[in-house]
């Protein structure tokens, strides 16, 4: 009897999985043939980065005449959008149908996962509205001197570094620079990671992004089966990382409240929101910012700010070291603007258009976030087709694949900042370059990230010349397959010469 029951259960399971993996076929949607159990993700995190897998799927689906195609993350069907007009619809035009990201968060066991990037529904909307004023150009101007003070320190640290050895691993050094910037702007603290590579903030930041196939699998499985993951108390934040950031936020808030400390930073704004809610009794009690919420927002601002900016600068420096004539042109741009303004100001940095073009081209070729995801909130009929995206289905926008599509960017493997001249940008569909996302859920720290990267590159190009340490670097670059964001495997080794 037991054997019959087990056989029956197995047969039902096999039938269910087969039905699941024929989801797109039954609906007449072009799809990439999946395999069990990984769907179309075979090799992800071990041999291939997620971006390469989705680029391969994109190439197979793009010429099918449908604005999207079907793929599978494990046994879950995913709509991969290939048409820029449908991307615009998903991210902007019909945003209410696609307002959540489908990222795993576990508020009960992992309070640091309850941040703006993963937050959903009205809670996300209310918090986003409250935080937006922190990132206006006026606020950026106020933070400018904080960033340049760290950049001064960065320049000194670099000069000291090359007295011992002219070959420098730049990726870690850039991450130490952005860690100190974010620590200062978000927490009002001196992280000192430029002076000490093993400073606690740097160690914790490094730990969050430590890549391993096991961690990559855990992240994927929790995103694909969130209810099961929450039931099993799965946490993506390491206990010591959680303890450290919770402690830093609580200590900072207590110290500032007790001593009435006011600063132009992220923490002050969050404290102000919390104080107003308590005093006025505004909004739904559920939407009130708690100490845990503040810690989660500061945590994600820290992570997104230090890792993506340092990665973007790393890739940009790699390309400029590879193309000396472009590096010289970028340096010339810095010198001309500085001569005109006499000093490095907020306005001067924004006038350095060629530097901005170089950063944008490195964000095109190496977007830190290679895929955007959205969850369908209600059944949605795709315009111009008879297809309906069902409620609960995940939609993926393959940023890396779009930005390497020769139809949008001819000769995509070539690094060419001129692609971002006003004339060339105008000719292109605006939804094929999406390093920060787009629409209401566009990266809230976009302005800050760009300002930080610009300032860092200005200080480096003004004072140093970079060439590839060819014995330590491979051309083309090797990408770390297990990293959640696009990053250089083995670091960025450059010869650095003081000018």
């Amino acid at each position: 009897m037991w054997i019959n029951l087990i056989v029956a259960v197995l047969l039902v399971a096999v039938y269910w999985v087969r039905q699941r993996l024929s989801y797109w076929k039954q609906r007449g949607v072009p799809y990439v043939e999946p395999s069990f159990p990984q769907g179309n993700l075979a090799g992800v995190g071990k041999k291939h980065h997620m971006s390469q897998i989705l680029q391969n799927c994109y190439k197979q689906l793009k010429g099918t005449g449908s604005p999207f195609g079907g793929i599978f993350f494990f046994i879950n069907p995913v709509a991969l959008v290939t048409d820029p007009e449908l991307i615009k619809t998903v991210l902007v035009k019909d945003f209410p149908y696609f307002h959540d990201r489908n990222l795993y968060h576990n508020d009960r066991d992992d309070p640091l996962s309850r941040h703006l990037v993963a937050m959903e529904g009205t809670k996300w909307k209310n918090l986003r509205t409250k935080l937006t004023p922190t990132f206006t150009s006026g606020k950026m101007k106020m933070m400018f001197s904080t960033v340049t003070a760290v950049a001064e320190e960065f320049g000194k640290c670099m000069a000291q570094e090359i007295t011992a050895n002219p070959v420098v691993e730049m990726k870690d050094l850039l991450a130490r620079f952005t860690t100190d910037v974010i620590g200062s702007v978000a927490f009002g603290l001196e992280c000192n990671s430029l002076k000490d590579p093993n400073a606690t903030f740097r160690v914790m930041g490094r730990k969050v992004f430590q890549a391993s196939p096991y961690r990559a699998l855990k992240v994927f499985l929790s995103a694909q089966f969130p209810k099961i993951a929450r039931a099993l108390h799965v946490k993506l934040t390491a206990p010591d990382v959680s303890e450290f950031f919770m402690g830093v936020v609580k200590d900072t808030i207590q110290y500032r409240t007790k001593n009435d400390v006011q600063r132009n930073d992220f923490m002050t704004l969050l404290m102000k929101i919390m104080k107003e809610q308590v005093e006025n009794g505004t909004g739904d009690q559920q939407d009130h910012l708690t100490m845990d919420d503040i810690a989660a927002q500061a945590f994600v601002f820290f992570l997104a700010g230090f890792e993506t900016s340092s990665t973007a600068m790393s890739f940009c420096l790699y390309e400029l070291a590879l193309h000396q004539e472009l590096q010289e042109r970028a340096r010339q741009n810095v010198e001309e603007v500085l001569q005109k303004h006499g000093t490095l100001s907020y306005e001067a940095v924004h006038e350095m258009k060629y530097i901005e073009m170089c950063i944008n081209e490195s964000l095109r070729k190496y977007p830190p976030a290679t895929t955007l995801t959205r969850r369908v909130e209600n059944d949605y009929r795709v315009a111009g087709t008879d297809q309906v995206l069902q409620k609960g289905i995940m939609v993926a926008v393959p940023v890396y694949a779009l930005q390497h599509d020769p139809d949008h960017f001819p000769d995509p493997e070539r690094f060419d900042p001129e692609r971002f001249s006003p004339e060339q940008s105008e000719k292109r569909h605006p939804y094929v370059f999406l390093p920060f996302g787009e629409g209401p859920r566009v990266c809230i720290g976009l302005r800050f990230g760009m300002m930080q990267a610009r300032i860092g590159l200005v200080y480096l190009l003004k004072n140093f010349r970079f060439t590839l340490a060819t014995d330590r670097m491979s051309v083309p670059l090797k990408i770390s397959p297990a990293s959640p964001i696009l990053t250089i495997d083995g670091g960025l080794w450059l010869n650095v010469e003081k000018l």
Side-chain angles (χ1 to χ4, degrees):
M1 185 188 158
W2 282 109
I3 291 174
N4 290 344
L5 187 64
I6 290 165
V7 169
V9 167
L10 282 174
L11 287 172
V12 169
V14 168
Y15 175 76
W16 181 75
V17 168
R18 279 197 169 157
Q19 285 295 100
R20 196 84 175 137
L21 292 179
S22 63
Y23 180 90
W24 294 117
K25 188 180 184 179
Q26 287 171 8
R27 283 160 181 75
V29 172
Y31 69 100
V32 180
E33 195 65 52
S35 59
F36 182 77
Q38 288 164 297
N40 298 112
L41 297 180
V44 78
K46 289 181 180 174
K47 288 183 186 171
H48 310 291
H49 189 267
M50 182 71 166
S51 59
Q52 295 159 325
I53 301 244
L54 290 191
Q55 186 184 27
N56 187 29
C57 294
Y58 172 86
K59 285 176 178 172
Q60 291 179 61
L61 295 169
K62 193 189 161 202
T64 57
S66 172
F68 74 95
I71 58 171
F72 293 85
F73 288 0
F74 300 98
I75 55 171
N76 287 338
V78 174
L80 189 76
V81 189
T82 54
D83 175 57
E85 277 304 312
L86 183 55
I87 291 169
K88 182 181 178 178
T89 299
V90 168
L91 300 181
V92 183
K93 223 163 121 193
D94 286 332
F95 175 74
Y97 282 90
F98 308 95
H99 60 70
D100 292 333
R101 279 204 173 100
N102 207 54
L103 293 180
Y104 177 72
H105 56 93
N106 181 347
D107 301 4
R108 180 192 55 201
D109 303 300
D110 189 1
L112 287 186
S113 69
R114 193 166 65 206
H115 50 68
L116 195 65
V117 178
M119 223 178 239
E120 298 176 346
T122 53
K123 182 140 190 172
W124 165 78
K125 193 181 176 188
N126 293 342
L127 186 61
R128 174 85 188 205
T129 306
K130 286 165 189 157
L131 293 184
T132 299
T134 329
F135 297 97
T136 58
S137 46
K139 286 283 196 300
M140 292 304 105
K141 222 170 177 175
M142 286 157 82
M143 294 175 186
F144 186 82
S145 58
T146 309
V147 183
T148 51
V150 179
E152 287 283 351
E153 203 53 53
F154 183 32
K156 289 177 198 163
C157 173
M158 183 70 121
Q160 212 174 338
E161 195 90 18
I162 60 174
T163 53
N165 188 350
V167 180
V168 179
E169 201 288 280
M170 287 300 300
K171 190 168 160 282
D172 185 61
L173 202 58
L174 286 163
R176 282 155 58 192
F177 161 62
T178 54
T179 297
D180 282 1
V181 169
I182 300 287
S184 187
V185 169
F187 298 92
L189 298 172
E190 281 189 28
C191 299
N192 288 322
S193 59
L194 277 169
K195 289 176 182 157
D196 174 14
N198 296 312
T200 321
F201 260 94
R202 179 70 195 113
V203 170
M204 291 299 164
R206 207 184 283 131
K207 192 163 186 178
V208 175
F209 285 98
Q210 252 164 12
S212 75
Y214 166 71
R215 182 174 156 71
L217 191 64
K218 190 175 162 185
V219 169
F220 273 125
L221 285 171
S222 54
Q224 294 310 302
F225 308 102
K227 286 178 182 168
I228 296 170
R230 284 186 198 108
L232 295 171
H233 302 274
V234 171
K235 296 193 281 188
L236 297 182
T237 316
D240 55 343
V241 172
S242 194
E243 212 176 291
F244 171 73
F245 279 99
M246 287 290 190
V248 165
V249 169
K250 281 173 184 165
D251 292 348
T252 304
I253 290 175
Q254 280 167 5
Y255 176 80
R256 289 189 185 193
T257 308
K258 191 178 166 188
N259 299 286
D260 194 27
V261 175
Q262 297 296 323
R263 280 178 58 110
N264 289 320
D265 64 10
F266 192 58
M267 192 63 76
T268 296
L269 184 96
L270 290 169
M271 287 171 66
K272 201 172 149 196
I273 293 168
M274 190 162 78
K275 191 179 171 194
E276 280 169 8
Q277 286 174 345
V278 172
E279 287 172 358
N280 308 333
T282 53
D284 180 349
Q285 200 62 38
Q286 274 193 313
D287 287 340
H288 275 196
L289 266 194
T290 63
M291 190 76 88
D292 283 357
D293 286 330
I294 288 189
Q297 308 327 312
F299 174 67
V300 80
F301 182 46
F302 173 75
L303 292 189
F306 98 79
E307 184 66 16
T308 52
S309 289
S310 64
T311 301
M313 289 161 72
S314 297
F315 284 123
C316 192
L317 271 185
Y318 165 79
E319 290 288 354
L320 292 178
L322 202 58
H323 303 97
Q324 287 296 309
E325 69 290 357
L326 301 182
Q327 186 181 148
E328 213 38 65
R329 192 171 161 193
R331 188 173 291 111
Q332 210 178 327
N333 183 219
V334 171
E335 284 163 0
E336 280 168 9
V337 175
L338 285 178
Q339 261 182 339
K340 179 184 164 187
H341 286 262
T343 180
L344 187 65
S345 61
Y346 182 78
E347 291 72 22
V349 162
H350 280 80
E351 255 184 61
M352 296 173 184
K353 294 299 176 195
Y354 194 73
I355 294 289
E356 188 182 342
M357 285 156 66
C358 289
I359 296 170
N360 277 334
E361 175 63 346
S362 70
L363 286 170
R364 176 201 69 81
K365 201 173 167 190
Y366 312 99
T370 62
T371 314
L372 304 174
T373 58
R374 296 289 186 270
R375 190 177 63 230
V376 183
E377 300 304 317
N378 287 300
D379 286 3
Y380 181 81
R381 182 172 289 283
V382 179
T385 76
D386 57 357
Q387 293 297 338
V388 171
L389 293 172
Q390 285 187 309
K391 180 181 176 176
I393 284 282
M394 183 169 141
V395 175
V397 177
V399 174
Y400 183 91
L402 283 162
Q403 294 179 181
H404 283 76
D405 183 339
D407 288 344
H408 305 312
F409 298 95
D411 194 5
E413 295 311 312
R414 186 166 60 92
F415 183 81
D416 178 15
E418 288 302 324
R419 295 183 206 272
F420 291 92
S421 66
E423 304 76 44
Q424 287 213 38
S425 295
E426 258 175 56
K427 290 177 195 166
R428 216 170 24 242
H429 195 290
Y431 286 80
V432 297
F433 177 63
L434 300 163
F436 297 101
E438 200 40 88
R441 283 200 94 130
V442 68
C443 170
I444 196 170
L446 186 162
R447 277 196 181 101
F448 183 81
M450 283 299 279
M451 178 175 84
Q452 181 178 226
R454 277 186 181 118
I455 293 170
L457 286 171
V458 165
Y459 271 83
L460 290 176
L461 293 170
K462 186 169 67 118
N463 298 306
F464 305 95
R465 179 175 283 110
F466 301 90
T467 52
L468 276 194
T470 45
D471 55 328
R472 309 282 304 257
M473 290 298 298
S474 62
V475 181
L477 278 179
K478 276 189 189 146
I479 297 299
S480 171
S483 172
I485 68 168
L486 208 65
T487 186
I488 303 168
D489 201 8
L492 172 63
W493 294 90
L494 300 180
N495 298 307
V496 186
E497 173 200 339
K498 185 140 179 43
L499 295 171

